[in-house]
């Protein structure tokens, strides 16, 4: 029987409402739900991929155990869980808790059950060697918010629907659909800013899809954002555009910030960042003159050499221009179910409580930078990593110098993966436990619904019965955690008792929340409930005891001299590599789905014509790209959308070695950008990987597979 069901897509932060046609156990069609209160029918090709994932013949449907001879055999859940737990226990007993590492990947942020599974495994394993993609992604912003507002999760969201001026640095929302700024139908929303007389400005080393929707685009040298923002602050202070009384009512540190900015006149930074002084001055004046404005920076900035500084200065600019916590500026959301208080209790706002054993990089929010994973596995001694639990991640393709990590993982005593696929990472696992498709588990996007440009709530109950031998992440984590902690006989009863805990948690949070909704009322609202626009919090979003933000946090101010040295030492560094996202990619993991694998290759190296000419390279040539860590081959695309001196490659490709288990992705193959990124290059404040601005050389003659 064909039925129509509604579900909220959990692949990116746009949280689009989907209309899913279900025919028995199969998904017959997926399209945008025109009645969805948030996305209003908008959808992207990845939604089709979400349907195809359900039926992908390469997706695992029963637990797998690696054979000594290579290859995998299916095993029962009990056998798989017992073996995984006893091997992990043995490592813990012999070498201590830190000998078992935990990596949790990006999808856990998008799924209630996987997110809770990650938290449960974190608490059960209690290892200092816990890793996640934040050190490739959000750590600079989390740390900046922790410093400026007193809480890592106090992340103001751009009021895109009302602002008159949006300055975007290092984000490409037209492709990524917005990040830490959930906004379905981003193209229309950006265009609307201009229609109502406002302005959209993009700062990016590439003239991106978003830049083409903007009023103005400025090419910037990778890593230049912190210097640009300080120079803009310089202009605002010099031209007395800062309302001292208003700022002081909301924040401390204005004078110190002004003293720092004084050292960064536009004339001093212009050459280093590649934006002339007049343009910098204009960017500052326009921001200050706009009736409302918001500065927003994302992954391109976080993954750069001065990510933490830049993320701090974004908040500082929003505060000194009077745009924090006001309509059209950046505001703290009021989610229906707020997980932040629980997050503060479980994770806290910690930094530097411990350091990695080999390189001494600091912990942030309970995790060490992924850049140290390989060396912690390879270096003998007390605390060496000997076992790994990998939940929803593919670090071989997503962390710097993935090939080295792959070799290190191959040398581990025991690896347990919880994943849909035998991918580049999980094919090295000894036991692989297959999770259930989200259509079969249901979802409430509890983390990302805090970061949407309107307050919305939507619960997606399961829309399909499970017909295979998969289990949801939360149940898998309950079973595994109980066994690792030595309560194996209780694992079944505990898991059964905890089965509906995720939904009960959401219901409790909804009842405690500021809006009049419950899980039951959301069940009756398949198109979601609109809870209105973002509203000023009256300072409630700021968590410092005095209720005021910090404009000059010590931990960040301390890194300013390094920035000064950088801008004063402008030398020709040769070519540097940055990243790129595409609509039909989702980090490393959806290339096995025909709807997303199809079309022209997206994995080309983009290069400016002058750089190509200097190397005698032409469009379409096979090239070899080399960095300190390795080399990959790609097809060259010569395009003036790149800034001279900067080349760009998407991450998430490099599937050739997994072609036996990922047959569609394996045929795509493509270069692994993270064979070029360097685990030794991290910014010094937090140890965030520098994935943008990687020195490379490019020459003719790559061999293309
Ligand atoms: N289709 C699709 N959507 C996605 C994803 C995906 O893989 N595919 N991934 C999701 C995830 S995990 C995330 S975190 C978000 C990320 O969301 P975004 O941050 O919007 O992601 P990107 O498209 O990578 O945009 C980063 C931009 O930074 C630019 N850039 C690089 N270096 C610098 C620099 O030094 N300074 C400046 N100013 N710009 C720089 C790049 O050219 C690029 O345009 O997207 C999410 N959405
Ligand atoms: N060079 C470069 N590297 C980057 C980036 C970049 O811009 N440039 N971006 C970085 C960013 S922002 C991020 S977030 C990371 C992502 O890094 P990762 O999280 O390591 O990688 P993903 O590709 O998202 O892999 C997710 C894995 O989870 C599995 N999976 C999907 N859904 C589920 C589920 O519900 N349950 C379980 N158990 N498994 C699931 C998939 O099969 C896949 O194997 O990559 C980072 N790496
Ligand atoms: S834009 Fe994001 S949420 Fe919307 S359909 Fe695509 S992947 Fe799903
Ligand atoms: Mo990400």
């Amino acid at each position: 029987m064909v039925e129509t069901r509604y579900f909220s897509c959990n692949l990116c932060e746009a949280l689009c409402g989907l209309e899913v046609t279900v025919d028995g156990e199969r998904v017959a069609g997926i399209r945008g739900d025109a009645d969805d209160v948030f996305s209003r029918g908008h959808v992207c090709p990845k939604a089709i991929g979400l349907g195809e994932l359900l039926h992908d013949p390469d997706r695992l449907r029963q637990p797998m155990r690696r054979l000594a001879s290579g290859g995998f055999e299916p095993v029962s859940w009990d056998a798989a869980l017992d073996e995984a737990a006893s091997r992990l226990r043995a490592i813990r007993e012999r070498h201590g808790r830190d000998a078992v590492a935990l990596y949790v990947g990006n999808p856990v942020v998008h799924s209630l059950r996987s997110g809770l599974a990650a938290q449960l495994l974190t608490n059960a394993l209690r290892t200092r060697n816990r890793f996640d993609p934040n050190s490739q992604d959000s750590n600079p912003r989390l740390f900046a918010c922790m410093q400026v507002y007193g809480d890592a999760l106090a992340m103001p969201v751009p009021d895109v629907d009302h602002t008159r001026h949006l300055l975007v640095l290092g984000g490409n929302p037209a492709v990524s659909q917005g990040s830490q700024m959930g906004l379905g139908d981003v193209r229309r929303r950006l265009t609307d800013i201009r229609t109502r007389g406002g302005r959209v400005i993009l700062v990016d080393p590439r003239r991106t899809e978003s830049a083409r929707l903007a009023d103005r685009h400025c090419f910037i040298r990778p890593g230049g954002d912190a210097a640009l923002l300080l120079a803009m602050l310089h202009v605002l202070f010099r031209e007395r555009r800062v309302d001292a009384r208003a700022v002081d009512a909301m924040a401390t540190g204005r004078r110190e910030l002004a003293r720092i900015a004084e050292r960064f006149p536009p004339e001093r930074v212009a050459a280093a960042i590649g934006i002339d002084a007049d343009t910098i001055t204009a960017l500052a004046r326009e921001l200050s003159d706009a009736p409302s404005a918001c500065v927003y920076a994302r992954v391109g900035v976080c993954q750069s050499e001065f990510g933490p500084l830049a993320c701090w200065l974004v908040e500082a600019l929003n505060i000194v221009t009077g745009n924090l916590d006001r309509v059209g500026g950046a505001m703290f959301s009021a989610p229906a179910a707020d997980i932040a208080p629980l997050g503060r209790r479980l994770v806290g706002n910690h930094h530097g409580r411990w350091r990695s054993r080999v390189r001494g990089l600091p912990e942030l929010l309970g995790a060490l930078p992924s850049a140290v994973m390989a060396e912690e596995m390879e270096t003998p001694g007390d605390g060496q990593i000997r076992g790994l639990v990998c939940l929803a991640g593919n670090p071989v393709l997503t962390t710097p110098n993935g090939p080295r990590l792959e070799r290190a993982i191959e040398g581990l005593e025991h690896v347990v993966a919880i994943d849909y696929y035998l991918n580049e990472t999980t094919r090295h696992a000894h036991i692989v436990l297959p999770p259930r498709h989200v259509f079969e588990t249901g979802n409430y996007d509890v983390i990302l619904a805090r970061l949407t440009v309107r307050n919305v709530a939507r619960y997606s109950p399961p829309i399909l019965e499970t017909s295979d031998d998969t289990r949801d992440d939360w149940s898998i984590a309950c079973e595994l955690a109980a066994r690792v902690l030595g309560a194996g006989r209780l694992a079944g009863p505990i898991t059964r008792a905890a089965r509906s805990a995720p939904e009960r948690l959401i219901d409790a949070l909804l009842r405690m929340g500021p809006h009049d909704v419950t899980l039951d009322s959301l069940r009756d609202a398949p198109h979601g409930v609109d809870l209105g626009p973002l509203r000023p919090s009256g300072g409630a979003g700021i968590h410092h005891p005095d209720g005021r933000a910090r404009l000059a946090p010590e931990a960040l101010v301390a890194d300013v001299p390094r920035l000064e040295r950088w801008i004063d030492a402008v030398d020709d560094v040769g070519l540097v590599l940055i990243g790129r996202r595409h609509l039909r990619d989702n980090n490393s993991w959806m290339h096995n789905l025909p709807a997303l694998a199809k079309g022209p290759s997206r994995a080309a190296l983009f290069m400016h014509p002058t750089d190509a000419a200097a190397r005698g390279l032409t469009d379409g040539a096979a090239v070899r790209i080399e960095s300190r860590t390795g080399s990959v081959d790609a097809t060259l695309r010569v395009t003036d959308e790149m800034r001279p001196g900067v080349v760009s490659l998407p991450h998430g490709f490099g599937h050739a070695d997994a072609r036996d288990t990922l047959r569609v992705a394996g045929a795509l193959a493509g270069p692994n950008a993270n064979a070029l990124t360097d685990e030794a290059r991290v910014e010094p404040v937090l140890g965030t990987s520098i994935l943008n601005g990687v020195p490379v050389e490019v020459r003719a003659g790559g061999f293309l597979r």
Side-chain angles (χ1 to χ4, degrees), residues 446-668:
V446 68
I447 297 179
L448 298 173
R450 300 189 79 244
L451 297 168
T452 45
V453 301
R454 279 183 83 80
N455 295 310
V456 286
R458 200 193 305 85
Y459 172 60
S460 305
I463 55 172
L464 281 173
E465 295 281 330
T466 310
S467 58
D468 52 35
D469 197 13
T470 56
R471 294 185 182 178
D472 70 81
D473 282 315
W474 168 245
S475 303
I476 298 172
C478 288
E479 293 264 7
L480 188 62
R483 284 170 161 87
V484 170
L485 295 178
R489 273 186 297 132
L490 294 177
I494 291 175
T495 306
R496 277 191 293 280
R499 181 156 295 154
S500 62
E503 286 74 18
R504 279 184 275 135
L505 171 68
I506 293 302
D507 193 43
L509 292 177
L510 288 170
R511 287 172 195 274
M512 282 188 279
H515 307 282
D516 186 22
V517 283
T518 62
L519 203 60
D520 276 340
S521 72
L522 291 182
R523 276 181 215 275
D524 295 335
H527 311 292
V529 177
D530 181 38
L531 302 169
L534 300 176
R535 289 194 186 86
S537 78
I542 300 173
H543 290 258
H544 287 302
D546 63 359
R548 290 200 290 169
R550 301 286 182 268
L551 283 171
E554 208 179 315
L556 291 160
V557 171
D559 197 32
V560 172
R562 188 174 66 94
L563 178 64
E564 289 190 277
R565 290 194 293 278
W566 186 84
I567 57 172
D568 293 339
V570 217
D571 46 358
D572 184 10
V573 288
L575 284 182
V576 294
L577 176 74
I578 62 168
R580 188 169 84 233
R581 281 178 161 75
H582 288 272
L583 204 55
R584 288 175 193 271
D585 303 324
N586 198 16
N587 296 316
S588 77
W589 76 274
M590 296 195 76
H591 288 143
N592 211 52
L593 306 167
L596 304 183
K598 72 179 184 195
S601 164
R602 304 182 289 270
L605 181 80
F606 287 8
M607 181 187 270
H608 189 269
T610 56
D611 293 321
R615 287 163 183 78
L617 300 170
T618 49
D619 194 59
V623 292
R624 172 151 298 176
I625 313 155
E626 293 170 328
S627 75
R628 184 193 76 85
T629 58
S631 71
V632 299
D633 298 338
T635 307
L636 186 71
R637 174 135 157 244
V638 177
T639 164
D640 69 1
E641 71 187 49
M642 292 310 298
R643 178 180 193 271
V646 184
V647 290
S648 140
L649 203 61
H651 72 289
F653 287 92
H655 303 296
D657 291 341
R659 66 169 81 77
D660 293 343
T661 53
L662 293 172
R663 285 169 290 179
V664 178
L668 277 184

Side-chain angles (χ1 to χ4, degrees), residues 179-223:
S179 181
Q180 295 173 10
M181 171 178 86
L183 66 172
D185 205 358
V186 38
R187 284 170 179 271
R188 188 189 52 74
R189 283 188 144 106
L190 291 185
T191 312
D192 281 355
I193 296 178
R194 302 177 65 188
T195 314
R196 58 177 180 266
R199 224 173 307 172
V200 179
I201 298 177
L202 258 288
V203 175
D204 198 300
R206 181 180 150 236
R207 191 170 59 249
T208 59
E209 296 78 357
S210 304
R212 285 172 225 148
L213 299 174
D215 296 84
R216 187 188 324 182
H217 164 242
C218 303
F219 284 110
I220 189 168
R221 176 176 163 207

Side-chain angles (χ1 to χ4, degrees), residues 66-80:
R66 184 141 58 89
L67 300 164
S69 56
F72 284 85
E73 63 173 3
V75 284
S76 73
W77 276 95
D78 275 338

Side-chain angles (χ1 to χ4, degrees), residues 103 105-106 137 303 392 394 398 418-419 423 473 581 588 674:
Y103 178 93
N106 167 269
D137 182 344
Q303 299 166 334
N394 191 5
T398 60
I418 306 171
D419 206 289
N423 65 25
D473 282 315
R581 281 178 161 75
S588 77
N674 284 316

Side-chain angles (χ1 to χ4, degrees), residues 14 45 111 154 165 198 302 331 341 353 415 423 440 448 580:
S111 152
H165 188 99
C302 283
M331 284 183 279
R353 283 172 298 171
V415 179
N423 65 25
E440 300 166 333
L448 298 173
R580 188 169 84 233

